[in-house]
Amino acid sequence: MPSGERNEWRAFWDDAGIELEANGGPPLLWWCIYGEADLKFARMIDDFDIDDPEGERAEFQADTENPDALYPYFVTAKKQALQRLAQRKEKVVAALGEQYRAVYEAFEKLVATHFDGFVLLRTAGLPDIADGEQWMRTGAQSMDRLDNNHPPEAGDHFAGMAAEFLKWKNSGNAARMLGGSGPPDVWPDAALSAAFPETGRRKRTAPENADPDAPQTLPPNVRGRSGQRKSTMLEEWLAPLFVGLVTAYVYLSSRSIFLAVLAFAAATALAVWLSIKWRNRGGDKDLP
């Protein structure tokens, strides 16, 4: 993981390589790249460069109870990623169905063609990721069992993800469901988009002029690099206004400074809690 303590994020963001994105958690084909040995840890605060001109590091440090907390992520060499993809292919295809072999093999080609050196799975945008070691380790162990010719265990991580995909396979583009979203015509490419068109609810609710192959993105400046939402202008003004009105109302109605102080403390705590919940909404993570 790039380290903000060494000012490595600027070079990372300037790299011309592609990224894949997914919501909620790593999709199945991402898991096929990693094993338990690839589980690493980084500090939350190091998601921001020390020399960050936007002041995000200082803002995060001020707003976070434990900015030095560690969180888990995956990283592996490209050579190892391709070896795992090849080794696990037949077991994964057998679980999903032969019709999805084309998706798996296109993902192999994507990793071979568009990634260099190492494949990093950034997880900082996932909610409660500081407590994510156990489920990431368990998921990686489940994938490692495929390498040892052990059949998938009923109810384990791999079997659960395969079953979940088969349950919802008609609710969207299979390539995105299995491998995330990428740049248009890169992932999924034109051939995959034609073979596995958008289906189900996602297609019906898409805006009339939206490009169905475009990756899902958030409005600019809504989310910071760590995946946490930045405060909006509405949030910055609404919270103090709410606290002030509650405090004034209690004082004017009771003429008690003591009750007004209690109301101020309670309203402030509620505003802070709501702000934290808002900033931590969603769970974007990237596979650059």
Side-chain angles (χ1 to χ4, degrees):
M1 185 71 67
S3 171
E5 192 172 41
R6 296 190 293 269
N7 282 318
E8 294 176 342
W9 282 105
R10 186 176 296 109
F12 178 86
W13 295 117
D14 289 342
D15 190 285
I18 72 164
E19 287 191 345
L20 302 179
E21 299 179 348
N23 289 326
L28 178 55
L29 293 184
W30 295 16
W31 284 101
C32 292
I33 289 175
Y34 300 105
E36 186 180 8
D38 301 318
L39 187 65
K40 310 296 181 184
F41 296 87
R43 293 194 309 162
M44 291 284 188
I45 190 63
D46 282 331
D47 269 9
F48 310 94
D49 281 343
I50 289 178
D51 294 341
D52 175 23
E54 298 179 4
E56 286 186 305
R57 185 182 179 99
E59 180 184 345
F60 180 81
Q61 196 160 19
D63 292 345
T64 306
E65 183 177 347
N66 185 11
D68 290 317
L70 297 178
Y71 70 93
Y73 67 93
F74 286 129
V75 65
T76 195
K78 174 181 174 179
K79 180 179 179 181
Q80 179 68 69
L82 292 172
Q83 287 176 350
R84 286 202 180 100
L85 283 167
Q87 193 168 6
R88 296 168 177 177
K89 176 163 58 178
E90 296 306 321
K91 296 182 180 68
V92 175
V93 170
L96 299 181
E98 185 63 31
Q99 66 269 40
Y100 298 108
R101 180 180 295 274
V103 178
Y104 194 103
E105 292 180 347
F107 187 80
E108 283 185 292
K109 182 179 178 181
L110 179 82
V111 174
T113 304
H114 290 281
F115 292 79
D116 291 318
F118 292 86
V119 186
L120 170 67
L121 195 159
R122 294 191 292 122
T123 57
L126 287 168
D128 301 322
I129 189 56
D131 300 320
E133 177 184 357
Q134 187 56 51
W135 67 262
M136 290 183 67
R137 188 177 299 280
T138 300
Q141 290 171 346
S142 172
M143 302 307 297
D144 283 339
R145 282 195 288 272
L146 301 182
D147 302 337
N148 299 321
N149 292 320
H150 294 161
E153 296 181 359
D156 76 356
H157 179 83
F158 168 67
M161 291 204 74
E164 192 73 7
F165 169 74
L166 293 174
K167 177 181 178 181
W168 297 104
K169 64 182 180 180
N170 294 323
S171 299
N173 180 284
R176 282 200 186 93
M177 294 172 72
L178 289 170
S181 295
D185 298 323
V186 176
W187 183 264
D189 61 18
L192 279 182
S193 295
F196 300 95
E198 294 288 347
T199 58
R201 185 177 57 164
R202 283 186 60 183
K203 183 176 181 180
R204 292 197 300 271
T205 58
E208 182 178 354
N209 297 321
D211 177 3
D213 290 325
Q216 300 295 309
T217 58
L218 289 164
N221 298 324
V222 171
R223 192 177 297 275
R225 291 176 182 176
S226 72
Q228 290 189 315
R229 291 181 181 272
K230 296 181 181 180
S231 58
T232 63
M233 186 68 70
L234 178 63
E235 181 184 355
E236 291 174 355
W237 282 96
L238 192 58
L241 182 62
F242 168 73
V243 173
L245 288 174
V246 170
T247 305
Y249 174 78
V250 171
Y251 175 74
L252 292 174
S253 61
S254 66
R255 296 297 178 179
S256 169
I257 295 177
F258 175 72
L259 291 178
V261 170
L262 288 180
F264 174 82
T268 300
L270 178 60
V272 170
W273 181 79
L274 290 173
S275 176
I276 292 173
K277 292 290 287 184
W278 168 253
R279 293 190 187 191
N280 290 334
R281 284 179 61 190
D284 291 357
K285 65 251 138 265
D286 307 320
L287 180 69

